[in-house]
Amino acid sequence: MTSAIALTFPSQSASSSGRYIGRFAPSPTGPLHAGSLVAALASWLDARAHQGQWLIRIEDIDPPRCQVGADQEILRQLAAFGLHSDAPVVWQSQRHALYEQALQQLQNQQLAYPCGCTRKDIEAAWQAQGLKHERHVERPYPGTCRNGLHGKPARAWRFALEQQIADLHKNRPSALAHQAQAAIQTIAIGQLQLECNTPVLHWLDRRLGAQQQNVQTSVGDFVLRRADGLWAYQLAVVVDDASQGITDVVRGEDLTDNTPRQLLLQQALCLPQPRYLHTPLVRMESGEKLSKQHGAPAVDVSQPLRALSDAAAQLGLPQAPMTPSLHDESPASALPLALSFWINCWRQTYNIAP
């Protein structure tokens, strides 16, 4: 039987535990903007609505993209909005040993393999398969190094997705093997449902409802450690969520399609599976997601009630009636009153029951 990596995390899954621990995990590529404030407020409100803990984690594992001092600026902005971590802030850049340990476990299980492909190699393979680039559409890894490097030096490490899917099918309870002859059958793996004899995964999002993805045709064997030696987001976030005991992940809906990859990694590493809730995005007039990449300005902390009211509106919450005019300077007492009002609204608007 596969042993779990030596992390500090609860033995119970999120669905079987009465406690709640949520988190906000910004990348310090710049200060908070209106979109990231929505994600921060949503995760904070969900934690408070559950009378749980809310943690902050700085996801700074990609130094070339990080701005010097952005992490401290983000923490200063959050404090200005009354959003404080209930435990010391964690930086991913200080946790490389945990990611190395997780990768070693996957290697030992034959669930990670070295890849020698350059971007040019992968693009050529896609072209040969007739897979053309489409905006906002991810193309699956073509599997070039799945069965060996063929003389190329190892550059990166990838998750052996096909092997993991095969193992999950093979290890399903024997009773399900007989049921698999039905037209639609799924194998329950924690919160994950795997269609029998297919790579289609099903899971439930607390806001978006039932979701599914064919992970082989959508993403393929995704990267765990990059060619430049940096850790991939998927591995780091799964290890950190388990290490911090996160029971509920509340984040923007642009990350929805990351969920099945993370569920598979959690299963492979014998880690608990959190619940997921993906929130609406703040969009520009063009319909594109508001982001730092598109020049989103830093959120204005001089009028915190105004910025928070805008964020609450994006989440479908009403304006707090006890706040002064949004055009006026807000008194110190108004901020906690508004946040308390939105906590109650959150309970009525979003699915609180696990």
Side-chain angles (χ1 to χ4, degrees):
M1 181 177 178
T2 303
S3 60
I5 59 178
L7 299 173
T8 303
F9 58 84
S11 58
Q12 290 182 303
S13 67
S15 59
S16 63
S17 172
R19 53 185 247 306
Y20 179 109
I21 302 178
R23 48 80 161 173
F24 176 57
S27 298
T29 55
L32 290 181
H33 56 74
S36 46
L37 179 59
V38 168
L41 178 62
S43 60
W44 186 89
L45 289 173
D46 200 54
R48 292 296 180 261
H50 284 88
Q51 298 181 317
Q53 287 185 292
W54 185 71
L55 310 181
I56 298 174
R57 180 171 70 231
I58 302 296
E59 299 198 332
D60 59 342
I61 54 169
D62 193 351
R65 296 182 60 243
C66 296
Q67 289 186 10
V68 176
D71 54 347
Q72 296 302 324
E73 175 62 13
I74 288 171
L75 295 175
R76 186 185 72 82
Q77 290 174 296
L78 290 171
F81 294 119
L83 309 180
H84 302 274
S85 180
D86 294 320
V89 177
V90 166
W91 276 260
Q92 285 187 330
S93 58
Q94 301 171 2
R95 302 166 68 79
H96 293 290
L98 291 177
Y99 312 143
E100 186 71 55
Q101 191 176 4
L103 177 60
Q104 183 64 57
Q105 181 179 328
L106 294 173
Q107 292 168 343
N108 293 342
Q109 296 170 223
Q110 305 299 308
L111 291 177
Y113 65 85
C115 176
C117 294
T118 63
R119 291 186 180 182
K120 185 177 180 180
D121 294 334
I122 296 175
E123 185 62 41
W126 281 333
Q127 293 299 322
Q129 294 176 356
L131 294 176
K132 297 181 179 180
H133 172 70
E134 296 181 45
R135 196 175 186 196
H136 302 314
V137 176
E138 191 168 0
R139 290 177 287 182
Y141 175 66
T144 310
C145 295
R146 187 176 297 137
N147 298 314
L149 291 169
H150 308 291
K152 294 183 293 186
R155 292 168 49 82
W157 282 88
R158 292 184 177 274
F159 184 61
L161 180 63
E162 285 191 356
Q163 184 61 51
Q164 170 71 343
I165 295 295
D167 289 348
L168 292 174
H169 282 301
K170 180 177 65 176
N171 296 330
R172 71 183 186 272
S174 58
L176 285 174
H178 301 292
Q179 300 175 6
Q181 298 178 14
I184 299 178
Q185 289 291 337
T186 59
I187 305 166
I189 308 163
Q191 297 182 61
L192 185 66
Q193 298 284 328
L194 175 64
E195 286 187 15
C196 291
N197 303 317
T198 78
V200 178
L201 303 180
H202 297 255
W203 74 99
L204 186 66
D205 183 272
R206 287 177 47 209
R207 170 179 165 260
L208 301 175
Q211 302 291 304
Q212 70 177 57
Q213 183 186 83
N214 185 319
V215 288
Q216 286 184 353
T217 59
S218 296
V219 295
D221 299 343
F222 52 90
V223 172
L224 300 169
R225 192 169 198 169
R226 294 168 18 177
D228 58 8
L230 298 179
W231 296 104
Y233 164 76
Q234 306 296 349
L235 181 66
V237 73
V238 162
V239 170
D240 286 335
D241 282 344
S243 177
Q244 293 185 283
I246 302 301
T247 64
D248 288 76
V249 173
V250 179
R251 59 189 181 186
E253 64 184 13
D254 56 318
L255 295 172
T256 305
D257 64 356
N258 286 269
T259 306
R261 279 170 273 187
Q262 292 164 19
L263 290 170
L264 284 172
L265 278 174
Q266 290 155 5
Q267 180 68 23
L269 293 167
C270 302
L271 301 177
Q273 293 178 350
R275 293 178 291 262
Y276 290 88
L277 188 157
H278 290 87
T279 61
L281 299 178
V282 178
R283 298 188 181 275
M284 302 182 295
E285 291 184 4
S286 64
E288 292 280 347
K289 170 195 168 186
L290 183 69
S291 66
K292 299 166 191 172
Q293 181 182 357
H294 292 106
V299 68
D300 184 5
V301 299
S302 65
Q303 298 186 62
L305 273 178
R306 179 171 190 154
L308 283 174
S309 293
D310 289 344
Q314 290 289 333
L315 294 167
L317 305 177
Q319 181 176 325
M322 298 178 67
T323 61
S325 168
L326 297 181
H327 298 289
D328 298 334
E329 195 71 24
S330 59
S333 61
L335 195 60
L337 289 174
L339 288 171
S340 178
F341 171 78
W342 286 318
I343 291 171
N344 290 327
C345 292
W346 185 273
R347 288 195 182 101
Q348 300 170 23
T349 304
Y350 288 89
N351 176 24
I352 296 303

